[in-house]
Amino acid sequence: MYENMTWEDLKDEPSDDLIEYIQCKGTADYEELADAAFIAFTFRYREEIIDKCRKIGKHYGFDKETADELAERTFERFYQYPHGFKKSKCGSLNIENCIKVYLFRIAQHCFCDYDKEISQANNSPYDGKEEVIVAFPALEVIDSPDDT
């Protein structure tokens, strides 16, 4: 139905329409439209999200590359859960500002998750030099304290 649809065809669509198209992903007839809408959506908001992620990244002590990676994760998470955005929750905000606030909140969560990943990796008691035991001794050989 929407074959050969490109993001360029959708670049002038209103943002709330793009989100509706993205929310149609998983429907066979609309998969291509959802992908094109997501690309147009990403191009529309990427500069602001990258800028915000770099500012948040400075707070966490991350470099620009890490912040850019987390901006990418922000969009990936939005694409993974597009139904999380509810236009009805925008209240008095205009739709553009509401979307930005929503994406900024996702970015904040991505930073928190990444920070946890790093701290858990650094606090691991394992260093990779552990010996894996594949054979256990026979139970008869072990003297148990109850045998007396």
Side-chain angles (χ1 to χ4, degrees):
M1 182 172 187
Y2 292 99
E3 293 178 21
N4 301 321
M5 183 72 72
T6 67
W7 73 270
E8 290 147 335
D9 298 328
L10 298 171
K11 69 181 177 183
D12 296 325
E13 288 287 317
S15 297
D16 51 336
D17 287 348
L18 291 177
I19 291 172
E20 283 184 38
Y21 300 152
I22 294 167
Q23 290 173 341
C24 291
K25 76 177 183 123
T27 307
D29 292 342
Y30 298 101
E31 194 70 40
E32 207 171 304
L33 175 65
D35 291 343
F38 177 69
I39 294 168
F41 181 84
T42 302
F43 277 127
R44 184 170 297 170
Y45 292 103
R46 73 177 173 182
E47 286 182 25
E48 290 178 85
I49 298 302
I50 289 171
D51 182 57
K52 181 63 84 173
C53 284
R54 286 180 178 176
K55 288 176 183 173
I56 296 171
K58 243 184 208 182
H59 171 74
Y60 280 95
F62 298 140
D63 58 9
K64 285 183 179 181
E65 289 77 23
T66 302
D68 291 349
E69 178 187 329
L70 291 169
E72 188 176 323
R73 284 189 189 187
T74 300
F75 285 108
E76 288 170 0
R77 189 169 294 174
F78 179 83
Y79 188 71
Q80 188 176 8
Y81 304 106
H83 294 284
F85 179 80
K86 306 278 188 242
K87 186 178 176 180
S88 60
K89 291 186 177 182
C90 290
S92 62
L93 281 176
N94 73 34
I95 190 71
E96 296 299 322
N97 288 338
C98 188
I99 292 169
K100 289 175 196 174
V101 168
Y102 184 75
L103 291 172
F104 294 159
R105 178 60 59 196
I106 292 173
Q108 184 68 44
H109 287 285
C110 288
F111 272 92
C112 291
D113 292 347
Y114 184 76
D115 194 46
K116 283 181 199 172
E117 287 173 26
I118 289 175
S119 62
Q120 287 174 355
N122 292 339
N123 291 334
S124 177
Y126 307 106
D127 62 2
K129 297 177 185 172
E130 296 78 25
E131 182 180 333
V132 177
I133 299 173
V134 293
F136 293 100
L139 291 177
E140 305 85 45
V141 176
I142 299 175
D143 293 328
S144 79
D146 295 332
D147 290 344
T148 56

